[in-house]
Amino acid sequence: AVLAPADVTAAGGILVGTPSAPVRLVAYEDPQCPVCGEFEKRNGAALEQAVKQGKVAVEYRMRSFLGVESVRADNALAAAQDEGKFELLREALFAHQPEEHTGGFTTDDLLELGRSVGLADAAYAGAVRSMKYAKWVAFVDDRASRDGNVGTPQLVKVGGSALSFYQAMDPVQLFLAQFGPRS
């Protein structure tokens, strides 16, 4: 049995937004991925606004193929999910993303980033230090590979197909791909 954080989907996703939103995206990301960091810079605010408006829900399926730093970060995200702060920590991770394969996202980094978003309790710290969700992180990464994800970032519209890299990285194209022309 794999210990999972609270309220995850069967595929290991963490849903941000209203489940009944008219558009649901699956987003594959790795916290170490520099292109994912660029995606967040370009589209994070607009996607967050669409979620708040109830237009879209995003199911994040975090990958960890870029090394132990990614595993540690995803474990911390799982612990944050237990506290209802997944999205806040995810945003903080991308805002403070270290260079790929530099040893970043140490335990101390993750505890500090957690404190910066209100994760100062013993439960979060204990989960980060003990790697409480490491097996779940491996499960999610393996499941994503079996589901056909071969890179990050990747957005897949539930009931549809994967968005092209161009659609995902261009804020205008991302908006058009999901909601049509602005009215």
Side-chain angles (χ1 to χ4, degrees), residues 30-42:
D30 186 312
Q32 275 283 115
C33 168
V35 182
C36 294
E38 184 63 29
F39 171 83
E40 183 66 21
K41 286 177 191 167
R42 291 180 184 200

Side-chain angles (χ1 to χ4, degrees), residues 40 43-53 56 87-88 91:
E40 183 66 21
N43 296 307
L47 202 51
E48 181 180 357
Q49 181 180 2
V51 167
K52 285 181 180 177
Q53 293 172 342
V56 66
E87 182 58 11
L88 289 173
E91 290 172 3

Side-chain angles (χ1 to χ4, degrees), residues 118-169:
L119 292 164
D121 65 347
Y124 173 77
V128 169
R129 284 189 180 105
S130 70
M131 293 292 289
K132 178 178 180 177
Y133 294 112
K135 288 182 182 177
W136 177 79
V137 168
F139 163 80
V140 173
D141 195 62
D142 180 63
R143 172 69 191 258
S145 292
R146 286 187 285 119
D147 287 346
N149 174 250
V150 295
T152 58
Q154 183 184 37
L155 297 176
V156 179
K157 189 172 183 177
V158 174
S161 59
L163 276 64
S164 72
F165 183 77
Y166 174 72
Q167 287 173 315
M169 293 304 287

Side-chain angles (χ1 to χ4, degrees), residues 17-35:
T18 306
S20 61
V23 174
R24 186 160 172 173
L25 296 174
V26 173
Y28 295 95
E29 296 180 331
D30 186 312
Q32 275 283 115
C33 168
V35 182

Side-chain angles (χ1 to χ4, degrees), residues 42-165:
R42 291 180 184 200
N43 296 307
L47 202 51
E48 181 180 357
Q49 181 180 2
V51 167
K52 285 181 180 177
Q53 293 172 342
K55 294 179 179 179
V56 66
V58 182
E59 180 182 338
Y60 289 96
R61 297 185 190 169
M62 302 305 291
R63 299 297 311 264
S64 57
F65 58 86
L66 289 175
V68 68
E69 302 94 339
S70 298
V71 175
R72 282 193 300 261
D74 285 350
N75 176 72
L77 285 166
Q81 172 65 11
D82 282 343
E83 307 286 331
K85 296 189 184 277
F86 167 83
E87 182 58 11
L88 289 173
L89 184 59
R90 192 188 75 74
E91 290 172 3
L93 290 175
F94 282 117
H96 297 91
Q97 185 183 55
E99 296 266 337
E100 188 178 357
H101 301 297
T102 61
F105 291 137
T106 66
T107 298
D108 288 341
D109 294 338
L110 296 166
L111 293 173
E112 180 60 35
L113 286 169
R115 282 189 290 274
S116 78
V117 299
L119 292 164
D121 65 347
Y124 173 77
V128 169
R129 284 189 180 105
S130 70
M131 293 292 289
K132 178 178 180 177
Y133 294 112
K135 288 182 182 177
W136 177 79
V137 168
F139 163 80
V140 173
D141 195 62
D142 180 63
R143 172 69 191 258
S145 292
R146 286 187 285 119
D147 287 346
N149 174 250
V150 295
T152 58
Q154 183 184 37
L155 297 176
V156 179
K157 189 172 183 177
V158 174
S161 59
L163 276 64
S164 72
F165 183 77

